[in-house]
Amino acid sequence: MLTLTFLAIAVLALLAHRSGGRSGPDRERLATLLDSGAIVALVFAVTFVVLWYSWAAVNPVPVVHDEMAYVLQSQIFARGAWSLPSPPLPLFWEQPHVLVEPSLTSKYFPGHSLVMTPGALLGWPALMPLLLQSSIATFLYVLARRIANGGVALLAWVAWLFSPMVLYFGAAFYSEGTTTACWLAGWYALLEWRRTRSAGWLLAVAAFTGWDAITRPLTGLAYAIPVAVIVLRDVVTLRAWRQLAMAFAVGTAVVGILPLWSAKTTGNWRLTPQTLYTREYMPYDVPGFGIDSTAPTHSITPELVQLNNVYSAYHRTHTPAHLPRELYDRLRDLGISAWDSWSGILGIFALLGLLALGAESAFALASCVVLILAYLLYATPPQWTLYYYETVPTLAFLSATGMAWAASQLGRPRGAPNAAALGWHSPRWTRALAATAGVLVLPGLLAMQTLHRQHISDRRAVAQFAGLMSSIHDPKAILFVRYSGMHNPHVAFVRNSANLERERVWVVYDRGEVENARLLSLAPGRKAYLFDEQHGQTFVYDPP
């Protein structure tokens, strides 16, 4: 793959040199094609197909606890409810990141699950994540083309699409798909408002900012700060107070979903499910430095004990004195996730892109910096770069502009003036950039195949467990799960359902013979089985 990356650079250099001294109809036709609406539709469709393939399943299922919680909540929303009644004997159904009392609901803020609801209604949960990623690709292309040109936009899209971070986390149910789409859509609306001064575009900015906040509040805050600086400056200059008031009303209406969500789930409009869950199960999991040693107010399962041991370790070392090292580790891992070690050369081009930084790209970069600094308030594993997923479109654009800048330097005839016609944003370099994008697709396809296999590997334990469940042929059953001491804390077998009565097999914790018999007494029509993970066996279970 490194060889192919260097080949792309060689193609860039050769075609840039040849493009510097002449123009032609071929270049103009290519520029016209890249400026067309058809290429935008193609970007959307190709992104959808590539990430669907990377996901390695026709109808992908959630694997990680977070994904399961988001999908469950989208299924609850699909039933027209904010939450559902607690399942019988809730201790049997405890699941990481899911509240089972006072009602059944995900702890996570509702923005992403609301967006995923159409997929839940259609029985294809992956639909909305794929549409979100395709929308991100489309906005990236359109914004890059608007700021620079079609060649830069094409190269930025290819660099983004085949980023290991996108191929892996883009093919998943995480909420960063919604927040990243809000970021780019909001930026587009902001540019349109500044161009037209039409109130509708400012209302769109407010709506996307609000939705960002009800999906991932810290990410929404990081996004809102740079946007607010630009909007308030323009409002003061233009004295557009009425537009600002209207935008504030729209943003407030969107954020107003949160107290309604809280009231419908916890029974208290001031108490969010996330706050309640944190208090009951993970008191240490809050922004700040050091670790909160407050004990959970709720009994926790051995599975969650393992999970807490993993994550609390990062909080213990998260202190102001360690911030410089943490920042370095996070930036290093972000670079690997965004460009991978074999194509870290794209990171070098991103640094060159700083030489071509315009007002719009500087704003996007500033937003990314604010996001990275905001998450320094929170203890996270440095390798879990998903928290910075919103930065990848900007990093891809910087790589593309760095290549365009390099092409402008390689292609400018000796002694030529530094004229705009020979600048990095000139369509003169379109053919060189498009050819470079085409060559970079080749290592990108290899990366796609690698991540395709990784998704299969990640899903192996869940797939094996699903096969085990399919071997139970009773019309209705209960499967008690006895986890081993070596269980992977990031994978859950016990899970809740948004339609419990229709579930053929209830999958619950093994809580001992006495408690198990209590649950069975509430479901006399269900046959009991027990899965012993340590021995990999399932057998008919008949507690006394």
Side-chain angles (χ1 to χ4, degrees), residues 338-362:
W339 294 301
D340 204 355
S341 56
W342 58 265
S343 58
I345 189 69
L346 294 181
I348 296 175
F349 278 108
L351 293 176
L352 292 178
L354 297 177
L355 299 174
L357 210 62
E360 297 89 348
S361 50

PDB file of all heavy atoms in Angstrom, residues 338-362:
ATOM      1  N   ALA A 338      -6.882   8.294  11.040  1.00  0.00           N
ATOM      2  CA  ALA A 338      -7.315   9.065   9.878  1.00  0.00           C
ATOM      3  C   ALA A 338      -6.542   8.700   8.621  1.00  0.00           C
ATOM      4  O   ALA A 338      -7.117   8.625   7.532  1.00  0.00           O
ATOM      5  CB  ALA A 338      -7.160  10.558  10.161  1.00  0.00           C
ATOM      6  N   TRP A 339      -5.236   8.458   8.771  1.00  0.00           N
ATOM      7  CA  TRP A 339      -4.401   8.237   7.585  1.00  0.00           C
ATOM      8  C   TRP A 339      -3.735   6.870   7.567  1.00  0.00           C
ATOM      9  O   TRP A 339      -3.216   6.462   6.528  1.00  0.00           O
ATOM     10  CB  TRP A 339      -3.321   9.321   7.513  1.00  0.00           C
ATOM     11  CG  TRP A 339      -3.867  10.685   7.292  1.00  0.00           C
ATOM     12  CD1 TRP A 339      -4.629  11.098   6.234  1.00  0.00           C
ATOM     13  CD2 TRP A 339      -3.698  11.832   8.128  1.00  0.00           C
ATOM     14  NE1 TRP A 339      -4.943  12.431   6.373  1.00  0.00           N
ATOM     15  CE2 TRP A 339      -4.379  12.910   7.519  1.00  0.00           C
ATOM     16  CE3 TRP A 339      -3.028  12.071   9.324  1.00  0.00           C
ATOM     17  CZ2 TRP A 339      -4.418  14.192   8.070  1.00  0.00           C
ATOM     18  CZ3 TRP A 339      -3.056  13.329   9.869  1.00  0.00           C
ATOM     19  CH2 TRP A 339      -3.746  14.380   9.249  1.00  0.00           C
ATOM     20  N   ASP A 340      -3.689   6.195   8.705  1.00  0.00           N
ATOM     21  CA  ASP A 340      -3.023   4.912   8.853  1.00  0.00           C
ATOM     22  C   ASP A 340      -1.517   5.096   8.709  1.00  0.00           C
ATOM     23  O   ASP A 340      -1.038   6.066   8.128  1.00  0.00           O
ATOM     24  CB  ASP A 340      -3.538   3.878   7.843  1.00  0.00           C
ATOM     25  CG  ASP A 340      -3.314   2.449   8.327  1.00  0.00           C
ATOM     26  OD1 ASP A 340      -2.679   2.276   9.375  1.00  0.00           O
ATOM     27  OD2 ASP A 340      -3.792   1.512   7.664  1.00  0.00           O
ATOM     28  N   SER A 341      -0.771   4.149   9.217  1.00  0.00           N
ATOM     29  CA  SER A 341       0.687   4.283   9.213  1.00  0.00           C
ATOM     30  C   SER A 341       1.253   4.241   7.800  1.00  0.00           C
ATOM     31  O   SER A 341       2.207   4.943   7.479  1.00  0.00           O
ATOM     32  CB  SER A 341       1.303   3.162  10.066  1.00  0.00           C
ATOM     33  OG  SER A 341       0.878   1.891   9.607  1.00  0.00           O
ATOM     34  N   TRP A 342       0.635   3.426   6.908  1.00  0.00           N
ATOM     35  CA  TRP A 342       1.186   3.302   5.552  1.00  0.00           C
ATOM     36  C   TRP A 342       0.950   4.538   4.710  1.00  0.00           C
ATOM     37  O   TRP A 342       1.666   4.829   3.763  1.00  0.00           O
ATOM     38  CB  TRP A 342       0.587   2.089   4.850  1.00  0.00           C
ATOM     39  CG  TRP A 342      -0.924   2.109   4.730  1.00  0.00           C
ATOM     40  CD1 TRP A 342      -1.794   1.522   5.591  1.00  0.00           C
ATOM     41  CD2 TRP A 342      -1.713   2.746   3.731  1.00  0.00           C
ATOM     42  NE1 TRP A 342      -3.084   1.754   5.196  1.00  0.00           N
ATOM     43  CE2 TRP A 342      -3.072   2.498   4.040  1.00  0.00           C
ATOM     44  CE3 TRP A 342      -1.413   3.491   2.587  1.00  0.00           C
ATOM     45  CZ2 TRP A 342      -4.108   2.973   3.275  1.00  0.00           C
ATOM     46  CZ3 TRP A 342      -2.465   3.962   1.818  1.00  0.00           C
ATOM     47  CH2 TRP A 342      -3.799   3.701   2.163  1.00  0.00           C
ATOM     48  N   SER A 343      -0.109   5.284   5.033  1.00  0.00           N
ATOM     49  CA  SER A 343      -0.405   6.473   4.232  1.00  0.00           C
ATOM     50  C   SER A 343      -0.261   7.741   5.060  1.00  0.00           C
ATOM     51  O   SER A 343      -0.902   8.740   4.804  1.00  0.00           O
ATOM     52  CB  SER A 343      -1.821   6.384   3.660  1.00  0.00           C
ATOM     53  OG  SER A 343      -2.763   6.255   4.701  1.00  0.00           O
ATOM     54  N   GLY A 344       0.613   7.679   6.074  1.00  0.00           N
ATOM     55  CA  GLY A 344       0.864   8.862   6.876  1.00  0.00           C
ATOM     56  C   GLY A 344       1.390  10.013   6.046  1.00  0.00           C
ATOM     57  O   GLY A 344       1.392  11.167   6.485  1.00  0.00           O
ATOM     58  N   ILE A 345       1.819   9.697   4.824  1.00  0.00           N
ATOM     59  CA  ILE A 345       2.246  10.740   3.899  1.00  0.00           C
ATOM     60  C   ILE A 345       1.129  11.743   3.663  1.00  0.00           C
ATOM     61  O   ILE A 345       1.372  12.930   3.417  1.00  0.00           O
ATOM     62  CB  ILE A 345       2.709  10.100   2.558  1.00  0.00           C
ATOM     63  CG1 ILE A 345       3.374  11.128   1.649  1.00  0.00           C
ATOM     64  CG2 ILE A 345       1.557   9.423   1.843  1.00  0.00           C
ATOM     65  CD1 ILE A 345       4.702  11.607   2.152  1.00  0.00           C
ATOM     66  N   LEU A 346      -0.132  11.285   3.761  1.00  0.00           N
ATOM     67  CA  LEU A 346      -1.257  12.216   3.615  1.00  0.00           C
ATOM     68  C   LEU A 346      -1.273  13.226   4.759  1.00  0.00           C
ATOM     69  O   LEU A 346      -1.749  14.352   4.595  1.00  0.00           O
ATOM     70  CB  LEU A 346      -2.576  11.446   3.566  1.00  0.00           C
ATOM     71  CG  LEU A 346      -2.793  10.538   2.346  1.00  0.00           C
ATOM     72  CD1 LEU A 346      -4.153   9.875   2.424  1.00  0.00           C
ATOM     73  CD2 LEU A 346      -2.657  11.316   1.054  1.00  0.00           C
ATOM     74  N   GLY A 347      -0.762  12.815   5.910  1.00  0.00           N
ATOM     75  CA  GLY A 347      -0.644  13.749   7.013  1.00  0.00           C
ATOM     76  C   GLY A 347       0.353  14.856   6.714  1.00  0.00           C
ATOM     77  O   GLY A 347       0.159  16.018   7.096  1.00  0.00           O
ATOM     78  N   ILE A 348       1.425  14.499   6.012  1.00  0.00           N
ATOM     79  CA  ILE A 348       2.404  15.510   5.606  1.00  0.00           C
ATOM     80  C   ILE A 348       1.770  16.500   4.638  1.00  0.00           C
ATOM     81  O   ILE A 348       1.967  17.713   4.740  1.00  0.00           O
ATOM     82  CB  ILE A 348       3.636  14.831   4.971  1.00  0.00           C
ATOM     83  CG1 ILE A 348       4.332  13.958   6.010  1.00  0.00           C
ATOM     84  CG2 ILE A 348       4.590  15.877   4.396  1.00  0.00           C
ATOM     85  CD1 ILE A 348       5.474  13.143   5.467  1.00  0.00           C
ATOM     86  N   PHE A 349       0.974  15.984   3.704  1.00  0.00           N
ATOM     87  CA  PHE A 349       0.279  16.881   2.781  1.00  0.00           C
ATOM     88  C   PHE A 349      -0.737  17.755   3.515  1.00  0.00           C
ATOM     89  O   PHE A 349      -0.989  18.893   3.117  1.00  0.00           O
ATOM     90  CB  PHE A 349      -0.390  16.090   1.659  1.00  0.00           C
ATOM     91  CG  PHE A 349       0.543  15.724   0.549  1.00  0.00           C
ATOM     92  CD1 PHE A 349       0.960  14.420   0.371  1.00  0.00           C
ATOM     93  CD2 PHE A 349       1.016  16.690  -0.331  1.00  0.00           C
ATOM     94  CE1 PHE A 349       1.834  14.075  -0.651  1.00  0.00           C
ATOM     95  CE2 PHE A 349       1.887  16.369  -1.354  1.00  0.00           C
ATOM     96  CZ  PHE A 349       2.302  15.047  -1.512  1.00  0.00           C
ATOM     97  N   ALA A 350      -1.326  17.217   4.591  1.00  0.00           N
ATOM     98  CA  ALA A 350      -2.248  18.038   5.377  1.00  0.00           C
ATOM     99  C   ALA A 350      -1.512  19.218   6.000  1.00  0.00           C
ATOM    100  O   ALA A 350      -2.056  20.333   6.085  1.00  0.00           O
ATOM    101  CB  ALA A 350      -2.910  17.188   6.469  1.00  0.00           C
ATOM    102  N   LEU A 351      -0.266  18.999   6.432  1.00  0.00           N
ATOM    103  CA  LEU A 351       0.540  20.109   6.950  1.00  0.00           C
ATOM    104  C   LEU A 351       0.817  21.126   5.835  1.00  0.00           C
ATOM    105  O   LEU A 351       0.785  22.345   6.076  1.00  0.00           O
ATOM    106  CB  LEU A 351       1.848  19.579   7.533  1.00  0.00           C
ATOM    107  CG  LEU A 351       1.723  18.721   8.800  1.00  0.00           C
ATOM    108  CD1 LEU A 351       3.084  18.186   9.221  1.00  0.00           C
ATOM    109  CD2 LEU A 351       1.086  19.520   9.936  1.00  0.00           C
ATOM    110  N   LEU A 352       1.090  20.642   4.630  1.00  0.00           N
ATOM    111  CA  LEU A 352       1.267  21.557   3.504  1.00  0.00           C
ATOM    112  C   LEU A 352      -0.023  22.317   3.222  1.00  0.00           C
ATOM    113  O   LEU A 352       0.010  23.467   2.769  1.00  0.00           O
ATOM    114  CB  LEU A 352       1.701  20.787   2.252  1.00  0.00           C
ATOM    115  CG  LEU A 352       3.104  20.172   2.272  1.00  0.00           C
ATOM    116  CD1 LEU A 352       3.366  19.404   0.987  1.00  0.00           C
ATOM    117  CD2 LEU A 352       4.167  21.245   2.486  1.00  0.00           C
ATOM    118  N   GLY A 353      -1.163  21.654   3.492  1.00  0.00           N
ATOM    119  CA  GLY A 353      -2.449  22.306   3.293  1.00  0.00           C
ATOM    120  C   GLY A 353      -2.620  23.549   4.148  1.00  0.00           C
ATOM    121  O   GLY A 353      -3.393  24.449   3.803  1.00  0.00           O
ATOM    122  N   LEU A 354      -1.875  23.601   5.257  1.00  0.00           N
ATOM    123  CA  LEU A 354      -1.943  24.796   6.097  1.00  0.00           C
ATOM    124  C   LEU A 354      -1.401  26.022   5.360  1.00  0.00           C
ATOM    125  O   LEU A 354      -1.773  27.155   5.668  1.00  0.00           O
ATOM    126  CB  LEU A 354      -1.145  24.574   7.385  1.00  0.00           C
ATOM    127  CG  LEU A 354      -1.651  23.445   8.310  1.00  0.00           C
ATOM    128  CD1 LEU A 354      -0.729  23.300   9.502  1.00  0.00           C
ATOM    129  CD2 LEU A 354      -3.084  23.703   8.759  1.00  0.00           C
ATOM    130  N   LEU A 355      -0.525  25.776   4.374  1.00  0.00           N
ATOM    131  CA  LEU A 355       0.009  26.885   3.589  1.00  0.00           C
ATOM    132  C   LEU A 355      -1.036  27.459   2.648  1.00  0.00           C
ATOM    133  O   LEU A 355      -0.872  28.575   2.145  1.00  0.00           O
ATOM    134  CB  LEU A 355       1.224  26.413   2.782  1.00  0.00           C
ATOM    135  CG  LEU A 355       2.403  25.886   3.602  1.00  0.00           C
ATOM    136  CD1 LEU A 355       3.474  25.324   2.683  1.00  0.00           C
ATOM    137  CD2 LEU A 355       2.961  26.984   4.494  1.00  0.00           C
ATOM    138  N   ALA A 356      -2.091  26.678   2.380  1.00  0.00           N
ATOM    139  CA  ALA A 356      -3.151  27.132   1.479  1.00  0.00           C
ATOM    140  C   ALA A 356      -4.428  27.432   2.247  1.00  0.00           C
ATOM    141  O   ALA A 356      -5.521  27.429   1.684  1.00  0.00           O
ATOM    142  CB  ALA A 356      -3.414  26.058   0.409  1.00  0.00           C
ATOM    143  N   LEU A 357      -4.285  27.704   3.525  1.00  0.00           N
ATOM    144  CA  LEU A 357      -5.452  27.870   4.391  1.00  0.00           C
ATOM    145  C   LEU A 357      -6.186  29.168   4.069  1.00  0.00           C
ATOM    146  O   LEU A 357      -5.610  30.245   4.106  1.00  0.00           O
ATOM    147  CB  LEU A 357      -4.990  27.883   5.849  1.00  0.00           C
ATOM    148  CG  LEU A 357      -5.955  27.357   6.914  1.00  0.00           C
ATOM    149  CD1 LEU A 357      -6.268  25.898   6.660  1.00  0.00           C
ATOM    150  CD2 LEU A 357      -5.305  27.505   8.296  1.00  0.00           C
ATOM    151  N   GLY A 358      -7.470  29.034   3.724  1.00  0.00           N
ATOM    152  CA  GLY A 358      -8.320  30.194   3.522  1.00  0.00           C
ATOM    153  C   GLY A 358      -9.206  30.409   4.732  1.00  0.00           C
ATOM    154  O   GLY A 358      -9.131  29.672   5.731  1.00  0.00           O
ATOM    155  N   ALA A 359     -10.082  31.407   4.650  1.00  0.00           N
ATOM    156  CA  ALA A 359     -10.931  31.734   5.795  1.00  0.00           C
ATOM    157  C   ALA A 359     -11.843  30.563   6.157  1.00  0.00           C
ATOM    158  O   ALA A 359     -12.006  30.223   7.338  1.00  0.00           O
ATOM    159  CB  ALA A 359     -11.753  32.980   5.480  1.00  0.00           C
ATOM    160  N   GLU A 360     -12.454  29.920   5.139  1.00  0.00           N
ATOM    161  CA  GLU A 360     -13.400  28.832   5.409  1.00  0.00           C
ATOM    162  C   GLU A 360     -12.698  27.624   6.019  1.00  0.00           C
ATOM    163  O   GLU A 360     -13.179  27.036   6.997  1.00  0.00           O
ATOM    164  CB  GLU A 360     -14.125  28.414   4.124  1.00  0.00           C
ATOM    165  CG  GLU A 360     -14.977  29.500   3.504  1.00  0.00           C
ATOM    166  CD  GLU A 360     -14.191  30.353   2.515  1.00  0.00           C
ATOM    167  OE1 GLU A 360     -12.940  30.239   2.496  1.00  0.00           O
ATOM    168  OE2 GLU A 360     -14.828  31.123   1.767  1.00  0.00           O
ATOM    169  N   SER A 361     -11.554  27.225   5.426  1.00  0.00           N
ATOM    170  CA  SER A 361     -10.846  26.059   5.954  1.00  0.00           C
ATOM    171  C   SER A 361     -10.225  26.356   7.321  1.00  0.00           C
ATOM    172  O   SER A 361     -10.129  25.463   8.169  1.00  0.00           O
ATOM    173  CB  SER A 361      -9.788  25.581   4.962  1.00  0.00           C
ATOM    174  OG  SER A 361      -8.974  26.647   4.530  1.00  0.00           O
ATOM    175  N   ALA A 362      -9.826  27.603   7.560  1.00  0.00           N
ATOM    176  CA  ALA A 362      -9.311  27.977   8.878  1.00  0.00           C
ATOM    177  C   ALA A 362     -10.411  27.851   9.928  1.00  0.00           C
ATOM    178  O   ALA A 362     -10.163  27.404  11.062  1.00  0.00           O
ATOM    179  CB  ALA A 362      -8.758  29.398   8.843  1.00  0.00           C
TER     180      ALA A 362
END
